[in-house]
Amino acid sequence: MARLSLAKLERHLLSAADRLRQEGLDASTYKDYIFGMLFLKRFSDVFEAEREKIINEKVATGVVQEKAKTKYGEDPNFYNCFFVPECARWSFLQDRLGDGTQIFGAVLDKALASLREANRQLEHVLDRVFFMEMESGKRLVSDECCKDLTRIFSRYRLRNEDFQFSDLLGSAYEYMINNFAESAGKKGGDFYTPRDVIRLMVRILKPEVGMSIYDPTCGSGGMLIVAREYIEQSGGDPTNLRLCGQVNDPSAWSICTLNMLLHGVRGADIQYADTLLHPQHKDGGELERFDRVIANPPFSQNYTKKDMEFTERFRWGWCPTSGKKGDLMFAQHMLAVCKPGGMIATVMPHGVLFRGGEEEKIRRKFLEQDLIEAVIGLPQNLFYGAGIPACILIMRPNLTGQAPNANKPADRQGKVLFINADAEFHAGRAQNYLRPEHVEKVVSTFDRYQDIPGYARVVPLSEISSETNKFNLNIRRYVDNSPPPEPHDVRAHLLGGVPVSEVTDKRSLFDSLGFNPAHAFAARKQDGKYYDFAPALPDRAAIRPLVESDPGVQACFANVRKDLAAWWTEHSPRLADLPKSRALNRVRAEFLETFVAALLQMKASGGTPPLDRFKLAGVIATWWTDTLPDFKTLIENGFPGVIDGWVDAIADAVEDDEAAGPLLDPFAHKLVRRTMTDYLDRIATAKADVARLKGEKEAFEQSNAPDDLDEEEMEKWDYPKDLESQIKEAKDAIKEKLQAAKPLAQKLKSLGKNAKTADKVVAALSGDGTKSIARARKKGLPTAKLEEALRENQTVVKFCQTEIEQLTVQLDAIQIACEPDRERINAIEEELRPYEAIKEKLGEARGRFRTLTDDFVNELKSRCVAMNADQKRGLVLELFAQDVQAGLDAAADEKRQELARYIERLWDKYRVTLGDLRIGRHTAEEQVKVFIKTLGYT
Amino acid sequence: MSENGKARVVEKAKVLMGQSPPSSACSENGDGLPFIQGNAEFGKRNPFPRLRCFAPTRIAEACDLLLSVRAPVGELNQALERIVIGRGLSALRFEPVEQGFAWHAIKYAVPALTRVAQGSTFVAVSREDVERLQIPWHGEANLRIAAVLDMVDEAISKTEAVIAKLRQVRAGLLHDLLTRGLDKNGQLRDPIAHPEQFQDSPLGQIPKEWEVVPLKVKCETYSGGTPSRSSLEFFGGAIPWVKSGEVNQETITETEESLTNEGLASSNAKWISEGTPLIAMYGATAGQVSWLAIRATANQAVLAIVPRSAETVARFIFWAVRYSAQRVVVLATGSGQPNLSKGMIGAMLLALPTDAAEQYAITERIDGVIASERSENSYLGKLVHLKSGLMTDLLTGRVRVPENLGTTS
């Protein structure tokens, strides 16, 4: 069986959520049930695996099967995992599905309860999940829904070996938390911090093996999980980390505890209480101290001093309890529980940077004691339910209470680094996001602790405490990232020309792409201050093609590719070492550093680098994040495993193309594009045929609509259907007419019979046979009667003939009357013929498409199976390289677009002078005057 | 030739009602003809279709007039090429020579069309409504009427371009004047040819005759106030009262609200004399600067900036503050809307000539461009009115366009 991919598991969980949504529940309610089910299924599956193992081991040592099952298999002491009592096992639950005598919700609740009873660590974790929950006399989740959920969760087995990489379930769980947070709107932000922000903070804090990490407002525990993940990806052993969290919301506490369990984190210490009032992590009566303290405390809340413990934490000052100013209380708590050599990162609202009153006093003390290492301004709208921009404070404790703070690195003492990152983000639909490149830029800027104009500045405390700044930390005060005002050269506006200064201002942009400004601007003989637009630019539309096809720019792009290839050849073998080294972060760091260096130096090609350090680092950072699941698979299952994973993902995507949620396009997958091009072409042809024929069919159906239809009728209009009903009408008309002919035909028939009989008699009488008059006459018999009979019959014959003639005429007339209908039928059938042909072709194309797509996965599999290990390794590396190249190309192209846009802007500004405009206007104006005059107004 | 200078659309044009092709037949960069669904892709005169469609249902030809017939009704464009039209549009095909005139005629008649529009969710008009629409029609005079109206349109768009250009010139000039100043001959000083005429300052290079000082050294500042809103008798008097929301205009010549004498007396609002720069300190317009051209009062979010002596020219301060306000906004606290304070504005550094005469000279130059802009703007307004008058006169036939019109062009 194919291993579960992350995407597949995520969508599986989403489909369960959909089922609960049908019950009318919203995310904040149904999430508990999803997590409850997931929890039951997962622990049952893990337990079953363990149980099989235990029984097999015992049987192998000679224990009888039955005894092994009952004695050892049911003894919690033999288990390394959670012990699942029988009534909580998935097979037990499945057996009850068809049992009409029991309420299934109660069966589930009992399962959860017995699971809790059997495992003390699970106490309270699932207290909030009750499948029998009632609300206004009605079950919140119907019994049918409970059963459906069980059926849905039965679909996949969730043992460790079923996953593409080991932390897959944890990742899927986080995905669901994210999903719920997103749909919960404002409430979502209370327990979820976006992962990109957490990664940024963790990368700054750089936790190490063996450290203690603490989040005083841990929500769903993302900060702790990411910190652990960071250690793991650094090749370190994450099991001896001490992860501690406290959260003041029972629901978040459950989610967090489950999060730890599903990520396989043993021994995380997650507590439930108000951190400011009752910090729970104590060590011999004292507050425990941690190496890394990281948090996203709730913004701008009130707090209370009543029954507060450990008030000595707030030695820098007391914010007012009302007025929503609890922020710096959290910051102080964090400082108080941080080890002297430790480090703090906390999200804060901007208000703490500049507000007056007590907050100003606290801020001032923080600064005077040199506690703040960096202030990072984030883009707005990153957090769920909070549109306001936030910042991150990086701090280090200083027990001496005197500047400089010896716990800071020497070169950072007495300084604060301001990073103004509020303008660099990816704009989503409802939310903004930090892309890996944005995170990378902040982190590397922090690591380098240097000035970057318009982005970051190291500010000495003396400047912050100066008369102008008065300990105000408002970021823009120190790093203004607003773009400079657009220059307007008055002379160029009046007289034309492009100011040389505005071209030289952007010299680095031109140079970096190898674009010679002379290709776009012509120097003037007499005037060194202004250019003209070059003859190669007759109009604005010529700018883009000129830049794109410029030989210098082309060469630049070629050089970049050359250096990329050289770099890749040298460094890609490090990826092949990953299964051995497992040190993802080390390879990442090496890749970042060497890639940036290689593409800045461009030794292989000898060209000039088009991209700056941050753009380059962004390319690798983005690629790395996108490829990380593949790297994890690579570490665990090698190169063939990576290909298998891709094939599985592609197969999944092909299988269920109707399910909700974002999904990859299986046919656009890089593996497919690399190995299946010929096959794709065939699919594309079939698909295009289907689309075209479908379009033709629909167009035919919608064609010839009468003009007098209203909207609704227009929607329903179907031309062939209309034609067919017309055929039916015509046929009915014919039928009706023929109906009238029926008695006539019968009459005709009987008349014919009569005529025939009479005719026979006439023939017999008038002939010379035995019954003829002539014979009678010969014999001398009386003939009068016979002659009368003859006459009578002759009259009958004649009458019949006349009648027949008349009837025939009538019948013919009826047939003729039917003729127009028949012709109409023929004509309509003729009209329908192309439609029938389209339908037939469509059927064929659909069939072809279906066959091709049905065989697609098998074909792909067989092609992949045919490769040997070396080929697989080569293929994976080649496709990895392709992704890096695509990222680099996109970044370079962005730069090229920037150049084209700049030239276009100069064109828009200076191409036409005020004089030109006035002359043109004057001409139009004069013409208007002439017209007005001839109109006789003047 | 129609009677009374009028005609029904149906008599002069073929009307084609749009019909949307199946969505499966449309794509952003596929095969087929360009496709537009409705007026969302209308431009000023020509549409800019984003989709293409390979199973066209209704096709408009190049030059057809495209009239929107539902949600909204009455928007007009002209097709540049063969184009598939969706149900939101109709295509009107007049004789090719008449299309130019028809453009104006339909525009003139659109109000009548919108009057018959109906519908619950979307207003729409039917084919009959379009066909029955009465438009002006003057036979062979159509061409000449169109020529006149087209020319006025051209004059309008060219004037708009002149105004846009003047804005840019002003921006450039303001920058030059406020960084280089004017020498004795009234010429801009040149930092490249004559670096000796310049000195360094906290605000960068400035002329030697200039100084950099905090605003409060040269000007006093005061904010206004708002009387209690619950007392109706405080509002609606004869005293103009500027709210910070109004400090988004370059020049304030009238105010939305006014105070009574009692209102003025009951609040912190004070008289501000005409010819005073105002700056908004908070709210949506925070950091914006207006020139108060009348004697008025203001609310508490508006700060009046008044020169302390005749050696400081208020109008120069207006330009200098306007030019530098962004620098102060950067210092402002608050992340969404900035909050400025009297103190911050008072501490704002300004570069200004020590000589009031140079300050005057500089404001004169800027105001010269402003005057030019203003006259262009009123000229534009005039043209727009002229156009609407001409449309009525020419299209109703009240004024006949003589045949010799074409010969003079």
Side-chain angles (χ1 to χ4, degrees):
Chain A
M1 201 179 107
R3 290 170 192 239
L4 269 177
S5 68
L6 184 55
K8 192 166 180 173
L9 183 55
E10 285 170 358
R11 285 191 323 118
H12 174 56
L13 295 176
L14 276 184
S15 68
D18 280 342
R19 179 62 186 89
L20 279 160
R21 243 197 303 267
Q22 284 170 24
E23 299 284 292
L25 303 181
D26 65 10
S28 53
T29 316
Y30 71 63
K31 69 173 195 301
D32 291 335
Y33 295 101
I34 295 285
F35 293 153
M37 291 305 284
L38 178 64
F39 180 81
L40 272 176
K41 179 70 164 70
R42 162 70 174 169
F43 290 114
S44 175
D45 284 356
V46 171
F47 171 81
E48 289 293 348
E50 189 83 357
R51 184 159 166 267
E52 277 170 24
K53 205 177 104 197
I54 291 171
I55 294 170
N56 288 341
E57 275 170 15
K58 290 295 160 192
V59 170
T61 58
V63 181
V64 181
Q65 175 86 19
E66 216 30 54
K67 195 178 171 197
K69 254 190 191 168
T70 50
K71 178 149 187 247
Y72 301 104
E74 298 299 328
D75 184 346
N77 294 323
F78 283 91
Y79 284 86
N80 268 327
C81 64
F82 291 110
F83 181 79
V84 181
E86 195 186 353
C87 68
R89 290 177 202 161
W90 201 258
S91 50
F92 177 89
L93 297 177
Q94 278 182 302
D95 288 345
R96 295 297 171 281
L97 275 175
D99 184 350
T101 63
Q102 293 190 39
I103 301 171
F104 196 72
V107 174
L108 290 175
D109 282 342
K110 193 178 167 220
L112 283 171
S114 58
L115 190 58
R116 280 196 297 264
E117 264 165 43
N119 301 278
R120 278 202 51 206
Q121 303 104 298
L122 297 182
E123 228 180 323
H124 306 307
V125 174
L126 288 163
D127 282 3
R128 299 162 42 83
V129 187
F130 276 112
F131 286 92
M132 294 301 286
E133 184 94 36
M134 302 291 281
E135 202 181 73
S136 40
K138 198 176 146 272
R139 291 223 355 230
L140 211 53
V141 184
S142 70
D143 222 44
E144 206 36 59
C145 179
C146 291
K147 289 182 177 175
D148 281 347
L149 283 177
T150 309
R151 290 186 192 108
I152 290 172
F153 274 90
S154 298
R155 204 173 300 153
Y156 298 112
R157 204 179 62 179
L158 304 178
R159 294 185 183 181
N160 286 340
E161 75 235 40
D162 297 325
F163 304 140
Q164 267 181 14
F165 56 89
S166 39
D167 196 26
L168 188 106
L169 193 66
S171 303
Y173 182 74
E174 293 230 345
Y175 169 82
M176 292 306 282
I177 300 177
N178 181 0
N179 201 280
F180 297 146
E182 217 170 339
S183 46
K186 206 169 161 45
K187 274 193 250 162
D190 291 353
F191 62 92
Y192 187 83
T193 305
R195 288 301 170 262
D196 39 13
V197 177
I198 301 183
R199 290 211 177 86
L200 190 159
M201 295 167 77
V202 168
R203 284 199 172 274
I204 283 179
L205 291 185
K206 298 179 187 51
E208 289 163 25
V209 175
M211 280 188 170
S212 58
I213 300 167
Y214 170 62
D215 180 349
T217 55
C218 66
S220 56
M223 303 252 177
L224 302 175
I225 293 295
V226 173
R228 185 178 184 274
E229 186 183 271
Y230 179 85
I231 303 274
E232 207 170 7
Q233 290 179 10
S234 302
D237 173 11
T239 54
N240 65 356
L241 275 179
R242 174 158 169 73
L243 297 179
C244 299
Q246 183 165 338
V247 59
N248 193 24
D249 174 78
S251 167
W253 178 82
S254 303
I255 292 177
C256 181
T257 309
L258 265 182
N259 200 6
M260 299 297 147
L261 289 174
L262 290 174
H263 274 281
V265 182
R266 289 287 181 94
D269 184 356
I270 310 297
Q271 299 289 337
Y272 161 52
D274 183 319
T275 307
L276 293 183
L277 288 180
H278 310 292
Q280 297 294 307
H281 295 88
K282 287 169 259 189
D283 193 3
E286 296 261 315
L287 281 176
E288 186 182 347
R289 289 169 180 263
F290 302 91
D291 296 295
R292 294 290 182 265
V293 185
I294 180 169
N296 175 14
F299 280 6
S300 307
Q301 289 199 340
N302 290 332
Y303 71 100
T304 166
K305 290 185 193 171
K306 193 172 180 292
D307 300 332
M308 184 182 273
E309 300 172 82
F310 300 102
T311 49
E312 70 276 14
R313 286 175 289 166
F314 307 109
R315 64 185 83 120
W316 293 272
W318 292 85
C319 300
T321 49
S322 62
K324 304 195 167 180
K325 286 174 179 165
D327 303 303
L328 287 180
M329 299 305 284
F330 282 106
Q332 293 189 68
H333 167 80
M334 294 174 81
L335 279 165
V337 298
C338 185
K339 285 185 186 168
M343 218 174 156
I344 296 155
T346 177
V347 180
M348 288 272 135
H350 273 255
V352 303
L353 299 177
F354 54 76
R355 282 197 292 247
E358 283 306 318
E359 288 178 291
E360 184 179 342
K361 288 180 193 158
I362 296 170
R363 186 168 65 236
R364 189 179 174 132
K365 284 184 199 160
F366 279 2
L367 286 161
E368 283 168 350
Q369 297 177 12
D370 195 15
L371 304 179
I372 301 177
E373 185 163 332
V375 178
I376 300 164
L378 296 175
Q380 58 181 5
N381 222 9
L382 282 184
F383 298 90
Y384 296 117
I388 59 163
C391 62
I392 295 173
L393 296 184
I394 309 295
M395 302 194 284
R396 296 195 197 242
N398 175 11
L399 296 183
T400 68
Q402 303 286 324
N405 180 353
N407 287 324
K408 279 185 176 182
D411 57 339
R412 301 183 183 186
Q413 292 172 9
K415 294 170 191 162
V416 176
L417 170 68
F418 287 86
I419 300 179
N420 193 346
D422 70 4
E424 299 186 21
F425 57 87
H426 170 71
R429 217 155 26 103
Q431 208 78 34
N432 292 329
Y433 302 94
L434 294 177
R435 283 255 172 89
E437 58 181 286
H438 307 125
V439 172
E440 183 56 35
K441 186 166 177 182
V442 173
V443 175
S444 68
T445 304
F446 175 82
D447 289 347
R448 296 158 74 92
Y449 217 76
Q450 283 170 2
D451 294 355
I452 295 167
Y455 186 74
R457 190 153 80 85
V458 180
V459 181
L461 286 178
S462 56
E463 184 178 336
I464 297 171
S465 61
S466 72
E467 189 50 31
T468 30
N469 292 320
K470 289 182 188 146
F471 298 98
N472 185 324
L473 291 179
N474 205 36
I475 299 168
R476 280 187 300 178
R477 208 169 256 265
Y478 305 98
V479 187
D480 181 14
N481 61 351
S482 50
E486 178 80 35
H488 284 288
D489 188 292
V490 177
R491 209 176 120 199
H493 275 307
L494 297 178
L495 305 172
V498 181
V500 169
S501 61
E502 286 187 38
V503 175
T504 43
D505 276 356
K506 288 281 171 175
R507 188 75 209 196
S508 63
L509 176 61
F510 287 92
D511 288 351
S512 65
L513 284 162
F515 184 88
N516 181 351
H519 293 170
F521 307 102
R524 291 179 172 177
K525 277 194 188 113
Q526 305 295 328
D527 186 353
K529 284 188 176 170
Y530 293 89
Y531 289 135
D532 286 307
F533 284 101
L537 291 179
D539 52 39
R540 188 181 192 274
I543 295 173
R544 234 153 247 267
L546 179 82
V547 171
E548 277 167 17
S549 64
D550 185 80
V553 176
Q554 298 272 337
C556 166
F557 275 56
N559 287 340
V560 166
R561 286 180 168 227
K562 206 165 164 189
D563 273 285
L564 171 66
W567 171 78
W568 182 258
T569 313
E570 190 181 341
H571 292 276
S572 62
R574 300 286 281 117
L575 289 176
D577 297 339
L578 270 180
K580 263 181 282 161
S581 73
R582 306 176 78 91
L584 278 165
N585 279 344
R586 202 159 64 224
V587 178
R588 181 183 187 272
E590 183 195 307
F591 270 33
L592 270 173
E593 193 185 321
T594 57
F595 178 81
V596 169
L599 272 294
L600 280 179
Q601 291 162 0
M602 307 260 302
K603 273 189 201 145
S605 66
T608 46
L611 299 170
D612 65 25
R613 157 179 310 281
F614 298 110
K615 285 280 170 223
L616 290 169
V619 169
I620 289 296
T622 304
W623 168 72
W624 189 271
T625 306
D626 291 348
T627 321
L628 197 55
D630 287 341
F631 293 152
K632 289 185 186 171
T633 312
L634 174 63
I635 287 180
E636 292 177 24
N637 301 312
F639 287 104
V642 175
I643 291 191
D644 291 347
W646 288 342
V647 171
D648 287 347
I650 293 163
D652 288 348
V654 172
E655 255 169 46
D656 40 12
D657 52 348
E658 285 169 309
L663 192 67
L664 76 149
D665 172 5
F667 304 107
H669 194 283
K670 57 191 171 199
L671 177 67
V672 174
R673 278 188 312 205
R674 171 66 177 73
T675 57
M676 300 275 285
T677 33
D678 55 322
Y679 201 86
L680 283 184
D681 287 345
R682 282 156 66 196
I683 292 183
T685 315
K687 199 173 169 185
D689 287 348
V690 170
R692 179 175 50 81
L693 291 164
K694 215 168 133 194
E696 281 179 18
K697 177 168 171 275
E698 281 170 32
F700 192 93
E701 282 161 1
Q702 291 177 4
S703 63
N704 292 301
D707 286 326
D708 54 355
L709 295 187
D710 65 24
E711 293 292 332
E712 211 173 308
E713 290 169 326
M714 201 71 173
E715 285 292 303
K716 286 187 193 148
W717 173 253
D718 184 333
Y719 184 46
K721 218 170 172 183
D722 184 71
L723 289 179
E724 268 151 22
S725 72
Q726 285 184 39
I727 291 182
K728 191 166 173 287
E729 258 168 46
K731 281 188 176 161
D732 285 349
I734 293 175
K735 214 173 181 183
E736 200 178 305
K737 284 169 191 158
L738 292 183
Q739 200 69 35
K742 240 182 200 162
L744 297 183
Q746 257 166 19
K747 203 171 164 193
L748 184 71
K749 206 171 165 192
S750 67
L751 276 170
K753 228 186 238 165
N754 291 348
K756 214 173 174 185
T757 325
D759 204 40
K760 257 186 197 160
V761 175
V762 171
L765 288 172
S766 53
D768 51 3
T770 49
K771 287 179 181 166
S772 64
I773 296 173
R775 186 68 68 90
R777 208 172 269 150
K778 240 182 195 170
K779 286 184 180 168
L781 294 171
T783 59
K785 266 192 181 166
L786 291 175
E787 270 160 20
E788 199 188 326
L790 176 64
R791 271 196 308 276
E792 265 173 27
N793 276 298
Q794 276 169 335
T795 320
V796 168
V797 168
K798 204 168 181 188
F799 172 77
C800 284
Q801 273 167 351
T802 330
E803 280 287 288
I804 285 172
E805 259 164 47
Q806 275 176 11
L807 278 175
T808 314
V809 170
Q810 279 179 28
L811 282 171
D812 283 351
I814 287 176
Q815 288 299 342
I816 288 166
C818 288
E819 212 42 47
D821 290 323
R822 292 210 175 90
E823 272 165 27
R824 194 153 145 243
I825 290 172
N826 281 339
I828 295 174
E829 277 171 351
E830 190 59 36
E831 177 81 14
L832 273 172
R833 199 150 294 145
Y835 182 69
E836 299 299 334
I838 292 172
K839 279 210 291 195
E840 195 178 313
K841 280 192 224 154
L842 180 60
E844 182 276 328
R846 279 195 170 130
R848 184 153 41 92
F849 179 67
R850 211 173 301 127
T851 319
L852 282 168
T853 44
D854 285 352
D855 291 344
F856 172 76
V857 174
N858 288 334
E859 177 73 21
L860 176 67
K861 278 182 183 160
S862 70
R863 287 184 191 193
C864 290
V865 166
M867 285 182 268
N868 64 30
D870 276 352
Q871 285 171 320
K872 282 184 178 168
R873 178 175 179 275
L875 178 63
V876 170
L877 287 176
E878 179 192 328
L879 293 178
F880 283 167
Q882 194 177 297
D883 289 343
V884 182
Q885 167 134 10
L888 188 58
D889 282 351
D893 188 57
E894 201 179 290
K895 191 97 177 186
R896 190 164 62 171
Q897 298 301 326
E898 186 189 337
L899 176 62
R901 275 198 305 275
Y902 186 71
I903 300 177
E904 281 173 352
R905 211 161 71 220
L906 290 176
W907 180 280
D908 293 342
K909 267 203 299 192
Y910 299 125
R911 183 71 181 90
V912 184
T913 66
L914 182 60
D916 295 341
L917 287 172
R918 283 216 156 113
I919 290 168
R921 201 267 306 273
H922 182 73
T923 317
E925 196 181 9
E926 287 305 309
Q927 191 62 59
V928 170
K929 272 188 202 155
V930 171
F931 284 170
I932 299 282
K933 201 166 190 178
T934 45
L935 289 174
Y937 282 115
T938 48
Chain B
M1 180 82 198
S2 309
E3 297 162 54
N4 310 327
K6 288 173 192 163
R8 303 269 177 202
V9 165
V10 68
E11 298 161 19
K12 300 298 173 191
K14 253 174 89 173
V15 176
L16 182 75
M17 300 303 279
Q19 186 187 358
S20 303
S23 57
S24 58
C26 302
S27 65
E28 238 167 75
N29 32 28
D31 302 327
L33 292 172
F35 162 63
I36 49 172
Q37 178 75 351
N39 80 319
E41 286 146 310
F42 272 13
K44 217 169 168 188
R45 174 104 191 197
N46 305 112
F48 46 97
R50 280 186 286 265
L51 295 176
R52 296 187 89 80
C53 164
F54 60 77
T57 39
R58 298 288 157 86
I59 303 173
E61 298 296 330
C63 292
D64 280 3
L65 297 184
L66 306 176
L67 178 67
S68 71
V69 291
R70 78 188 237 130
V73 169
E75 297 291 320
L76 193 63
N77 251 217
Q78 188 166 22
L80 274 177
E81 56 192 327
R82 287 191 89 203
I83 187 168
V84 182
I85 52 171
R87 67 203 296 201
L89 299 180
S90 62
L92 312 184
R93 192 170 309 146
F94 291 83
E95 287 297 316
V97 288
E98 301 286 11
Q99 296 276 29
F101 172 80
W103 170 268
H104 298 289
I106 300 284
K107 281 227 149 177
Y108 182 75
V110 155
L113 186 65
T114 51
R115 274 195 294 276
V116 299
Q118 54 185 13
S120 43
T121 41
F122 299 121
V123 288
V125 289
S126 67
R127 161 188 286 271
E128 281 68 40
D129 294 330
V130 176
E131 288 184 339
R132 272 203 306 261
L133 181 67
Q134 198 168 60
I135 55 170
W137 200 265
H138 299 283
E140 44 86 41
N142 282 354
L143 270 181
R144 302 195 298 273
I145 294 173
V148 175
L149 296 176
D150 284 347
M151 195 48 75
V152 181
D153 276 344
E154 194 178 328
I156 288 174
S157 75
K158 294 210 154 140
T159 305
E160 283 166 349
V162 167
I163 292 169
K165 195 73 176 178
L166 281 171
R167 285 260 153 77
Q168 296 183 323
V169 169
R170 191 228 285 196
L173 188 65
L174 195 61
H175 173 81
D176 289 349
L177 287 169
L178 293 177
T179 52
R180 292 155 62 187
L182 295 170
D183 62 19
K184 293 263 151 20
N185 304 322
Q187 295 221 306
L188 278 168
R189 294 187 190 86
D190 187 340
I192 294 162
H194 297 286
E196 75 283 357
Q197 295 177 358
F198 288 81
Q199 59 177 343
D200 286 331
S201 82
L203 294 181
Q205 210 177 34
I206 56 166
K208 283 232 163 93
E209 294 89 341
W210 287 38
E211 59 182 339
V212 170
V213 291
L215 175 88
K216 63 179 174 226
V217 173
K218 297 288 178 189
C219 303
E220 62 174 325
T221 58
Y222 58 91
S223 58
T226 306
S228 163
R229 280 281 180 190
S230 51
S231 302
L232 285 174
E233 66 269 23
F234 290 163
F235 291 89
I239 305 168
W241 181 67
V242 181
K243 287 174 293 184
S244 58
E246 294 170 82
V247 186
N248 57 351
Q249 319 162 56
E250 196 163 285
T251 305
I252 295 175
T253 51
E254 55 184 353
T255 60
E256 272 171 37
E257 288 189 81
S258 60
L259 303 182
T260 59
N261 283 324
E262 294 74 27
L264 178 60
S266 81
S267 74
N268 281 328
K270 300 163 199 71
W271 278 109
I272 308 167
S273 46
E274 64 174 287
T276 304
L278 304 179
I279 183 166
M281 294 191 286
Y282 40 89
T285 55
Q288 301 221 41
V289 185
S290 287
W291 176 253
L292 181 65
I294 51 172
R295 188 165 178 260
T297 60
N299 75 6
Q300 63 286 351
V302 175
L303 194 71
I305 303 172
V306 183
R308 293 182 188 276
S309 79
E311 289 308 297
T312 308
V313 178
R315 185 70 175 163
F316 180 87
I317 295 295
F318 167 69
W319 289 117
V321 171
R322 205 178 153 90
Y323 180 71
S324 311
Q326 200 48 43
R327 247 183 17 237
V328 191
V329 172
V330 162
L331 296 182
T333 53
S335 25
Q337 289 183 354
N339 278 341
L340 298 169
S341 66
K342 181 178 155 81
M344 291 169 73
I345 293 167
M348 165 179 184
L349 291 181
L350 292 182
L352 71 173
T354 46
D355 183 3
E358 189 181 341
Q359 295 180 24
Y360 269 121
I362 286 171
T363 60
E364 260 173 42
R365 303 296 156 89
I366 302 170
D367 285 336
V369 183
I370 301 274
S372 183
E373 259 176 60
R374 205 170 284 154
S375 78
E376 290 293 348
N377 264 317
S378 37
Y379 182 69
L380 176 66
K382 212 66 198 167
L383 278 177
V384 170
H385 287 141
L386 174 73
K387 163 92 189 290
S388 93
L390 271 176
M391 271 184 92
T392 314
D393 284 358
L394 302 188
L395 292 175
T396 57
R398 196 182 304 154
V399 171
R400 298 223 164 263
V401 184
E403 282 173 30
N404 66 359
L405 181 87
T407 59
T408 57
S409 63

